[in-house]
Amino acid sequence: MSNATAPIFSVLNRAPSVLFRGASVLTMDADDRLLTDTDVLVEKGLITAVGVGLQAPEGTRIIDASQHLLMPGLINGHVHSPANFLKGALDDAPLEMFMLYEVPPLAGAPDSARMCNLRTLLGAAEMLKLGITSVHDDAFFNPVPTPETIDAVMDAYATSGMRASVSLDQPNVVEFDKYPFLKELLPQELRLHMENAPRQSDGELIALYRAFIAKWHGAAGGRLMASVSCSAPQRVTIPYFEALTELSAEHGLPFIIHILETRLQRVLGQEKYGKSLVRYVDDLGLLDERKLVIHAVWIDRHDIDLLAASGCTVAHNPISNLKLGSGVMPYRALRDAGVPICLGTDEAAVDDTANMWGVAKVAGLIHKIADPEWQRWPKANEVLGDLFIGGARGMGLPDRIGRVVPGYAADLILVDLDTIAFTPLNDIRRQLVFCENGSSVTLTMVDGRIVYEDGKLTTIDEKALRAEIRSLMAEHQANLAETRLQADRLAPYYREMYRKTLSRPVGMNRWVGSNEDVHNN
C-alpha cells in the first residue's frame, strides 16, 4: 500500500466462531420463514447452523440475542462512491443539468488517491453503522481512472471490512455525443474544448480493467469483487461496449449499465438510434443475464419484454429518481414480467445519505401515487425481497448472501426490537420497511467479522477519519469551485437542450401530475 493511501485504521480480527442465542430470525429463505427463540452459529465466516438449543464449540463467543431480530445485512445495489463528499452540495435539477456540476465534461484537476480513499471509507462507515453489509459501487473517476486511484477505493473497502463489488464507470466518447441536440447548440469553442478533454481509448480502458480484475477480484478472502461498467450505452464506443461484455462473460462478472433514467434519454434514443436504448443494446446482442440495468424509468412494454427475456436485473433507486425528477419506475410491470429488482441509494449527491432503510420505505410508498389500483401496490415482503434476494442477484451472489441459511456468508445484523420502531410489534416485515430508520441496529457482521457493535465501528477510527476529511476540505472546495465555473459556462446550452427534448413526444409519462397520458403504455 502506498503512503498516499496508508491506513489510519485497525486490522480486522475474525472471531473463530459466534453463537447468537435466542433471537427472532428473519431468514429470507425459500419459505420466507420468521423464526422465534432461535440460535444461529457462525464459524469461519459462514452460517453453519440455525436451530434451537445449538451447542457452541469451545472458544465460541456467545451473544444474547433475545429481544433482537437477527437478519441478513442490507445490500446497497447501486452506489457511486466518488460522490460521497457531495451530500447537500448541489441544487436539485434534472440529471443532465445535475451532472454538469458533479462530473465536469471540461475536466478539472484530478482528485488525489488519498481523497478517493477517504471518501470511500466515509461511505463504508455510514453503511456499516446502518447495517448495510454489501455494496455495489459503480465508481467514476475525473477525468480518468489510474491504478493509484483505483487502489485507493479498493484499499478503503478492504480496510472497512465491507463486502463490495466495484466497477470502473468511465465513458469514452465526446461529451456532446452522449446527448441529443447538444452538438448543434454549442459554440465551436466549447465543442473543441470537449473534443480535447481527456479520454481513454478502448484498449487503454480494457488493459486497466484486466489489471484491476487480476489484482482485486476475489481479494480479502473473496469479500472484494470486480464488476464491469460502461456507464450507459450512449456514453461509450461500440467496440468498448462489446469488449466489456466479453470481459464480463470471461470472468462471470456483473455488468452495470444505466438505461433510460430520464425522459431526455428516451428522446436521445429516438433521435440518434431510431429506437429506445433498451432496444439499441438488445439489437447489438449485448443485453444478457449479467447486466445490472440501472433505473429503467422511461421504458415501454416492449422494453420490459426485452429486459425479462434477457434475464437481467434492474436496480431501482427511488430516492435518486425523486431528487432529480427522473420519474417513477414502472415497478409492477417489471415484477409481473419476472424481472428481478434490487434497491440502491445511488450516490450521496442524489440521496444525501447511504441509508437503505429510507430507500426501502420510499420504494414501498412511491408507486402508490403511480397506480390507482391499490392491490398492485408493493407489499412489505416484496420490498424486502428486492432488498435482499434481488440485491444478492444484482451483485452476482444469489447463493452466498441475503439469507440466514446454513452455507451462506455470515453477513448479519442484529436489530433491537425494544425500540420505538417496533413498539408495539404488530408485523415485523411492515415495521422493518416503514418504521425502522437504522437506529435500531446494534451489531453488524460481515463475513463472520463483527465490524460494528454497541454504537462503535471496530474497523475504522471514525473520529480520525472525520478529522482528516475536514483537513482536506480546502482541496475539495477548490475543485468544486472550478467545476462550478466550468459548468456555468455550459449550463445555458444544456438548459436549451433539455427544453428542446420536452417538445418531443415519447408516447409515455413517468411523472406524477403531468398532463401527458399516464396510461399510454
Side-chain angles (χ1 to χ4, degrees):
M1 184 181 296
S2 68
N3 289 334
T5 56
I8 55 175
F9 312 101
S10 62
V11 177
L12 293 168
N13 294 306
R14 175 183 289 179
S17 58
V18 174
L19 178 66
F20 295 96
R21 180 78 77 188
S24 295
V25 181
L26 182 69
T27 64
M28 295 305 301
D29 65 7
D31 297 319
D32 194 22
R33 291 182 302 158
L34 176 64
L35 309 176
T36 59
D37 197 18
T38 297
D39 304 339
V40 175
L41 181 62
V42 171
E43 299 175 285
K44 297 181 180 178
L46 296 176
I47 300 165
T48 56
V50 177
V52 177
L54 296 181
Q55 296 301 305
E58 186 176 350
T60 297
R61 179 183 171 187
I62 299 176
I63 296 176
D64 180 4
S66 58
Q67 294 202 27
H68 285 73
L69 177 71
L70 185 69
M71 60 185 285
L74 279 62
I75 300 168
N76 193 338
H78 182 59
V79 163
H80 299 286
S81 67
N84 282 348
F85 287 174
L86 291 177
K87 60 186 74 171
L90 305 175
D91 286 334
D92 297 353
L95 173 73
E96 293 76 20
M97 297 297 301
F98 194 86
M99 288 178 65
L100 265 181
Y101 294 86
E102 179 198 23
V103 190
L106 305 182
D111 292 324
S112 66
R114 187 58 174 163
M115 185 77 80
C116 296
N117 182 260
L118 290 170
R119 68 191 180 196
T120 307
L121 278 168
L122 183 67
E126 181 180 9
M127 286 187 277
L128 290 173
K129 292 174 73 174
L130 291 165
I132 302 161
T133 54
S134 297
V135 64
H136 209 153
D137 184 359
D138 190 29
F140 56 79
F141 299 85
N142 290 324
V144 295
T146 65
E148 293 75 22
T149 52
I150 294 168
D151 286 351
V153 170
M154 300 307 292
D155 281 337
Y157 284 125
T159 297
S160 73
M162 193 165 197
R163 189 178 303 281
S165 181
V166 180
S167 57
L168 313 179
D169 177 337
Q170 200 62 30
N172 73 335
V173 301
V174 178
E175 169 77 1
F176 53 67
D177 281 344
K178 305 171 191 174
Y179 297 107
F181 316 128
L182 184 59
K183 184 176 182 180
E184 294 74 23
L185 291 169
L186 288 168
Q188 184 178 7
E189 175 200 0
L190 291 177
R191 287 202 303 269
L192 289 174
H193 200 159
M194 285 183 179
E195 287 172 354
N196 293 326
R199 281 193 312 281
Q200 289 166 310
S201 69
D202 302 349
E204 287 172 323
L205 283 167
I206 290 297
L208 200 62
Y209 252 116
R210 289 198 177 277
F212 168 55
I213 292 167
K215 182 171 185 177
W216 287 107
H217 187 54
R223 183 167 49 79
L224 303 183
M225 298 155 287
S227 50
V228 302
S229 170
C230 70
S231 184
Q234 71 274 18
R235 298 172 187 162
V236 293
T237 67
I238 291 176
Y240 180 50
F241 192 1
E242 292 172 335
L244 281 176
T245 299
E246 291 174 5
L247 199 60
S248 168
E250 177 185 344
H251 295 279
L253 306 179
F255 188 136
I256 296 174
I257 180 169
H258 296 72
I259 303 185
L260 291 173
E261 178 176 358
T262 68
R263 189 183 188 281
L264 184 145
Q265 292 171 6
R266 188 84 198 180
V267 174
L268 169 69
Q270 294 173 177
E271 294 291 324
K272 186 170 184 177
Y273 306 111
K275 63 188 78 171
S276 84
L277 292 174
V278 172
R279 295 176 220 199
Y280 168 67
V281 174
D282 187 66
D283 286 349
L284 290 173
L286 302 178
L287 190 62
D288 58 43
E289 72 280 0
R290 288 177 300 279
K291 294 294 187 294
L292 177 58
V293 175
I294 314 300
H295 296 295
V297 175
W298 290 84
I299 52 176
D300 63 18
R301 181 71 256 171
H302 185 51
D303 294 332
I304 292 171
D305 291 341
L306 292 175
L307 294 171
S310 74
C312 74
T313 302
V314 167
H316 185 23
N317 305 272
I319 294 179
S320 170
N321 295 339
L322 284 171
K323 176 92 168 178
L324 301 179
S326 299
V328 181
M329 186 190 84
Y331 177 91
R332 183 57 62 194
L334 283 164
R335 260 193 163 270
D336 286 350
V339 178
I341 295 171
C342 67
L343 301 177
T345 58
D346 208 333
E347 59 188 50
V350 297
D351 189 307
D352 301 301
T353 76
N355 194 333
M356 286 300 297
W357 300 97
V359 169
K361 181 171 184 172
V362 173
L365 293 175
I366 187 65
H367 303 286
K368 297 174 182 179
I369 59 172
D371 189 343
E373 177 46 69
W374 62 272
Q375 295 186 72
R376 293 171 54 81
W377 294 346
K379 305 296 188 293
N381 64 316
E382 291 179 306
V383 174
L384 291 172
D386 298 337
L387 184 58
F388 299 112
I389 309 307
R393 181 187 172 104
M395 287 189 71
L397 301 172
D399 300 318
R400 188 172 175 191
I401 62 174
R403 301 180 192 264
V404 185
V405 172
Y408 275 63
D411 292 4
L412 303 169
I413 63 174
L414 270 183
V415 176
D416 187 356
L417 297 179
D418 186 19
T419 58
I420 290 175
F422 301 100
T423 305
L425 184 54
N426 295 305
D427 184 285
I428 194 71
R429 294 175 179 84
R430 292 194 193 103
Q431 286 169 254
L432 284 169
V433 172
F434 296 112
C435 303
E436 178 54 35
N437 60 12
S439 62
S440 302
V441 175
T442 62
L443 180 146
T444 302
M445 171 183 279
V446 183
D447 206 29
R449 301 160 172 169
I450 295 173
V451 293
Y452 171 74
E453 187 173 18
D454 296 331
K456 298 187 73 171
L457 293 162
T458 66
T459 58
I460 299 173
D461 183 338
E462 188 181 351
K463 184 176 180 180
L465 172 63
R466 295 195 307 267
E468 185 172 356
I469 288 172
R470 284 192 293 269
S471 75
L472 292 178
M473 279 302 96
E475 173 191 342
H476 178 62
Q477 293 299 333
N479 289 348
L480 273 183
E482 176 61 26
T483 297
R484 289 190 191 101
L485 286 174
Q486 298 291 352
D488 286 344
R489 295 176 61 197
L490 294 168
Y493 309 104
Y494 280 68
R495 282 195 293 269
E496 178 59 20
M497 170 187 67
Y498 181 79
R499 186 201 62 77
K500 194 169 183 178
T501 62
L502 292 178
S503 69
R504 298 295 197 270
V506 297
M508 70 180 71
N509 176 61
R510 296 290 180 248
W511 288 320
V512 175
S514 171
N515 290 325
E516 293 188 30
D517 182 8
V518 177
H519 304 292
N520 204 28
N521 282 278

